């Protein structure tokens, strides 16, 4: 297996993967767990992976969505109480986004992260999540409708869209 | 893209900021990087050395060793955390600071799942004197750890989630060094320790336990919390983060705590306030079978809430 390639991938992409994990979970520790779990699943197949970034992200999304299903019976999300030093830039904005994202369903949240954070097209988002393009559009529309009126984002979105 | 989509995208890109964590590929790969880099060149030597050590161990103990079994791949959060702690222990044992010429002896690694800790021990034999060897180790502190204790026969380094202890013993012209390593992981908060969302009321009782009243207590407050107060109370309890059982906790001192019991439907949980060695408050939630220790972030608010 291409261990050097795997090691280099983890080192060069870890920040992006952790940010994606944070947007999905709202918690850096859970984000780390999410990425590590996804990497554990990916590593045995690494030599056959063609597009590593998309492959790991897909594993993260699968893990995240399965956590949401399985952990509903064993664990409940809690408000973020950081246990680690955090980037102090834009703390209010970070908290506002974290709170606003909790209003979305897991599937909506995954679609929002892929479409607007990772800048994937509707078709690519659908492929990564394994759902129809129409479902992606519907989830995106529902999510945007919730975010547009989310109290936490008041003042962060322009009047043009929030009004 | 609409304006709303553009603005949401910009917010999502800014909000996370710089991650405060870094990922270690070795937590997934499970072996120290340097050893892997050397492996191709030293494979034959390692195999020979391993055989020699195995034979030496067999001769010394006069018994059989356990066959290596493949470790199951972790699939849950708890397993991933445990695997990371184990990888950390393996790493710390492999990179213990020792003078050249050190010869490895027996190594053991085991996990205590109830205490959320992995223990590792490796014995080394090092040429030199006690003073020279301990001075060498003292001058090469492990990265990220702080020296907590330095004696003539022991050095102890620690940080929040791991520790390394070196014990030295003279053996003729050599020194036997026992390296003891610990790495903790954070448990996953169990479902039962949360107040359920469909609970309509909780019965909260505060008992004061006198210093010398072992086993006896006085109810100083009892109320039934409903409606918005119940939601608020549930939020406070549910927002608390779990701690490791030994994370700064002293052994329990009878008689120095207030005990808050809340009943949530058919279940009964006990929230007990106490103090850590550092004087910080902690909360214990005890279910039917076990206790979890929670972060004290919201403790004051919790006690104010139930004491009103």
């Amino acid at each position: 297996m291409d261990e050097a390639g795997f090691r280099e991938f983890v080192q060069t992409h870890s920040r992006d993967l952790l940010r994606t994990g944070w947007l999905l979970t709202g918690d850096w520790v859970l984000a780390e767990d999410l990425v590590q779990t996804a990497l554990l699943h990916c590593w045995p197949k690494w030599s056959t992976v063609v597009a590593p970034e998309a492959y790991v992200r897909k594993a993260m999304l699968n893990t995240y969505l399965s956590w949401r299903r399985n952990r509903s019976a064993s664990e409940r999300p809690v408000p973020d109480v950081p246990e680690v030093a955090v980037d102090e830039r834009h703390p209010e904005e970070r908290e506002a986004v974290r709170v606003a994202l909790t209003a979305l369903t897991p599937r909506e949240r995954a679609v929002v992260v892929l479409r607007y954070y990772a800048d994937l097209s509707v078709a690519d988002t659908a492929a990564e999540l394994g759902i129809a393009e129409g479902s992606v559009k519907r989830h995106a529309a529902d999510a945007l409708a919730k975010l547009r009126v989310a109290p936490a984002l008041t003042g962060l979105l322009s009047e043009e869209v929030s009004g | 893209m609409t304006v709303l989509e553009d603005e949401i995208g910009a917010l999502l890109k800014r909000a996370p900021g710089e991650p405060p964590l870094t990922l270690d590929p070795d937590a997934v790969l499970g072996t120290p990087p340097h050893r892997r880099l050397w492996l191709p060149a030293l494979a034959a030597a390692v195999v020979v050395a391993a055989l020699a050590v195995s034979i030496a161990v067999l001769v010394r103990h006069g018994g059989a060793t356990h066959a290596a079994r493949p470790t199951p791949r972790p699939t849950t959060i708890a397993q991933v955390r445990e695997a990371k702690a184990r990888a950390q222990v393996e790493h710390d044992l492999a990179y213990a600071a020792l003078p050249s010429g050190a010869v490895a002896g027996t190594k053991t690694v085991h996990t205590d799942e109830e205490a959320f800790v992995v223990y590792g021990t490796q014995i080394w034999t090092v040429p030199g004197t006690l003073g020279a060897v301990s001075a060498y180790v003292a001058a090469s502190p492990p990265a990220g750890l702080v020296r907590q204790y330095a004696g003539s026969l022991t050095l102890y380094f620690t940080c929040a989630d791991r520790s390394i202890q070196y014990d030295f013993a003279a053996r003729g012209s050599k020194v036997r060094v026992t390296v003891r390593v610990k790495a903790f992981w954070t448990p996953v908060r169990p479902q039962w320790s949360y107040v359920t969302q469909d609970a309509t009321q909780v019965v909260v009782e505060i008992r004061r336990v006198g210093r010398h009243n072992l086993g006896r207590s006085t109810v100083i407050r009892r109320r039934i919390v409903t409606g918005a107060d119940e939601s608020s109370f549930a939020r406070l309890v549910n927002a608390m983060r779990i701690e490791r059982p030994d994370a700064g906790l002293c052994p329990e001192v009878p008689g120095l705590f207030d005990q808050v019991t809340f009943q949530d439907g058919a279940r009964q949980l006990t929230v007990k306030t106490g103090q850590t060695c550092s004087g910080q408050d902690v909360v214990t939630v005890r279910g039917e079978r076990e206790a979890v220790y929670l972060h004290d972030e919201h403790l004051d608010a919790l006690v104010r809430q139930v004491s009103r």
Side-chain angles (χ1 to χ4, degrees), chain B residues 16 25 27 65 74 94 111 163 178 187-188 193 201 228-229 260 272 302:
Chain B
T65 54
T111 300
S163 67
T178 306
V188 177
S193 69
Q201 67 174 39
D229 282 348
V260 185
K272 190 168 69 178
L302 171 70

Side-chain angles (χ1 to χ4, degrees), chain A residues 3 15 27 78 85 116 158, chain B residues 5 7 18 20 36 238 241:
Chain A
E3 186 181 316
R15 288 172 184 279
D27 182 305
V78 298
Y116 308 120
S158 66
Chain B
E5 288 173 310
E7 291 187 10
E18 279 300 303
R36 283 187 169 258
N238 290 347
R241 276 188 177 275

Side-chain angles (χ1 to χ4, degrees), chain A residues 9 13 17 42 45-59 128:
Chain A
F9 174 84
H13 289 79
L17 295 173
C42 294
K45 300 165 192 158
W46 197 251
S47 56
T48 62
V49 173
V50 178
E53 194 173 351
Y55 191 81
V56 172
R57 195 170 50 215
K58 188 169 183 174
E128 209 150 291

Side-chain angles (χ1 to χ4, degrees), chain A residues 103-148:
Chain A
L104 308 185
T105 65
R107 188 74 74 178
E108 288 168 354
R109 194 160 174 164
V111 166
V112 162
V113 170
L114 290 181
R115 285 282 288 124
Y116 308 120
Y117 174 71
D119 290 328
L120 298 193
S121 66
V122 170
D124 288 342
T125 303
E128 209 150 291
L129 287 172
I131 58 177
E133 290 185 27
S135 299
V136 170
K137 290 177 185 169
R138 180 167 51 80
H139 286 312
D142 291 347
L144 288 173
K146 289 179 186 175
L147 294 175
R148 190 171 68 82

Side-chain angles (χ1 to χ4, degrees), chain B:
Chain B
M1 284 276 184
T2 64
V3 176
L4 175 60
E5 288 173 310
D6 283 340
E7 291 187 10
I8 293 295
L11 271 178
L12 295 183
K13 289 180 177 81
R14 280 199 308 270
E18 279 300 303
L21 309 155
T22 53
L23 291 176
D24 179 7
D26 292 313
V28 178
L29 297 172
T31 33
H34 298 122
R35 196 168 69 196
R36 283 187 169 258
L37 291 174
W38 297 344
L39 198 59
L42 299 178
V46 167
V47 169
V48 170
L51 279 172
V53 169
S54 299
I55 291 166
V57 168
L58 280 169
V59 169
R60 196 177 309 151
H61 294 289
T65 54
H66 293 290
R69 287 183 304 173
T71 309
R73 197 146 46 86
T75 53
T76 66
I77 298 178
Q79 287 171 343
V80 168
R81 290 178 181 174
E82 181 184 338
K84 284 164 68 177
R86 181 169 276 267
Q88 182 69 58
V89 164
E90 296 280 4
H91 177 276
D92 286 346
L93 288 178
Y95 292 102
L98 292 168
S100 60
V103 177
T106 53
K107 181 179 108 173
T108 58
V109 176
H110 73 276
T111 300
D112 183 340
E113 291 183 351
E114 289 186 0
F116 309 101
V117 60
V118 179
Y119 297 96
T121 303
Q122 170 92 60
I123 295 175
W124 297 84
T125 305
V126 185
T129 63
L130 262 182
V133 174
S134 64
Y136 179 93
V137 175
S140 319
L145 301 184
V146 176
R147 193 166 72 186
Q148 286 287 322
Y149 175 78
S152 57
L153 298 177
T154 298
L155 284 168
Y156 181 58
F157 303 90
T158 185
C159 67
D161 56 2
R162 58 192 245 262
S163 67
I164 303 179
Q165 179 174 330
Y166 293 82
D167 292 316
F168 308 99
R171 290 287 183 273
S173 62
K174 297 177 180 175
V175 177
R176 192 185 72 175
V177 183
T178 306
V179 183
R180 294 185 172 85
V181 171
K182 276 196 286 189
F184 296 93
W185 73 90
T186 305
V188 177
R189 184 172 168 181
Q191 166 70 12
W192 60 258
S193 69
Y194 292 93
V195 180
T196 54
Q197 276 180 341
D198 55 359
T200 54
Q201 67 174 39
V202 289
V203 179
V204 180
E205 194 172 88
I206 304 182
R207 288 174 173 271
R208 177 141 307 161
V209 186
R211 181 183 289 271
H212 303 295
N213 279 353
L214 297 181
R216 284 179 292 173
S217 59
T218 309
V219 176
I220 59 171
R221 186 79 185 164
R222 186 175 196 278
R223 63 188 289 251
I224 297 173
V225 185
T226 57
D229 282 348
E230 189 279 332
S231 302
S232 171
F233 177 81
R235 265 200 307 278
L236 286 168
V237 172
N238 290 347
M240 291 182 184
R241 276 188 177 275
I242 193 166
E243 285 277 18
R244 290 194 313 270
D246 72 331
L249 288 169
C250 293
E252 193 171 276
V253 181
L256 291 179
F257 53 84
D258 290 345
Q259 186 168 295
V260 185
T261 302
F262 60 94
Q263 204 151 4
D264 150 24
R267 306 178 321 145
Q268 178 163 311
L269 304 175
T270 300
V271 178
K272 190 168 69 178
T273 67
Q275 292 226 320
T276 65
C277 305
S278 60
Q280 277 196 318
D281 287 317
V282 294
V283 173
T284 312
V285 173
R286 186 175 293 280
E288 288 178 5
R289 284 176 300 179
E290 56 182 322
V292 296
Y293 301 89
L294 303 177
H295 216 265
D296 68 320
E297 188 83 9
H298 304 289
L299 177 64
D300 289 344
L302 171 70
V303 173
R304 275 202 305 276
Q305 175 86 28
V306 297
S307 301
R308 277 206 315 245

Side-chain angles (χ1 to χ4, degrees), chain A:
Chain A
M1 286 196 229
D2 181 12
E3 186 181 316
F6 180 79
R7 193 181 294 283
E8 185 186 349
F9 174 84
V10 173
Q11 282 162 352
T12 55
H13 289 79
S14 67
R15 288 172 184 279
D16 273 348
L17 295 173
L18 285 168
R19 287 191 191 102
T20 303
W22 183 88
L23 287 167
L24 291 170
T25 63
D27 182 305
W28 285 117
V29 175
L30 287 179
E32 186 192 22
D33 281 335
L34 179 61
V35 179
Q36 292 276 17
T37 305
L39 289 171
L40 279 165
H41 288 299
C42 294
W43 163 235
K45 300 165 192 158
W46 197 251
S47 56
T48 62
V49 173
V50 178
E53 194 173 351
Y55 191 81
V56 172
R57 195 170 50 215
K58 188 169 183 174
M60 283 176 64
L61 289 162
N62 287 340
T63 305
Y64 164 68
L65 292 171
S66 70
W67 275 4
R68 301 298 301 187
R69 282 191 295 272
N70 298 335
R71 292 166 79 205
S72 60
S74 62
E75 195 173 349
R76 198 171 294 174
V78 298
D80 187 24
V81 183
E83 291 176 330
V84 289
V86 295
D87 184 351
E88 287 306 323
R89 288 171 296 176
H90 318 297
E92 298 87 4
E93 196 171 85
R94 180 177 307 115
E95 178 62 9
V97 169
R98 190 192 65 75
V99 170
L101 288 174
T102 60
L104 308 185
T105 65
R107 188 74 74 178
E108 288 168 354
R109 194 160 174 164
V111 166
V112 162
V113 170
L114 290 181
R115 285 282 288 124
Y116 308 120
Y117 174 71
D119 290 328
L120 298 193
S121 66
V122 170
D124 288 342
T125 303
E128 209 150 291
L129 287 172
I131 58 177
E133 290 185 27
S135 299
V136 170
K137 290 177 185 169
R138 180 167 51 80
H139 286 312
D142 291 347
L144 288 173
K146 289 179 186 175
L147 294 175
R148 190 171 68 82
V149 298
L153 297 184
T154 305
L156 293 174
L157 297 174
S158 66
E159 287 184 10
E160 183 185 353
V161 298
S162 60

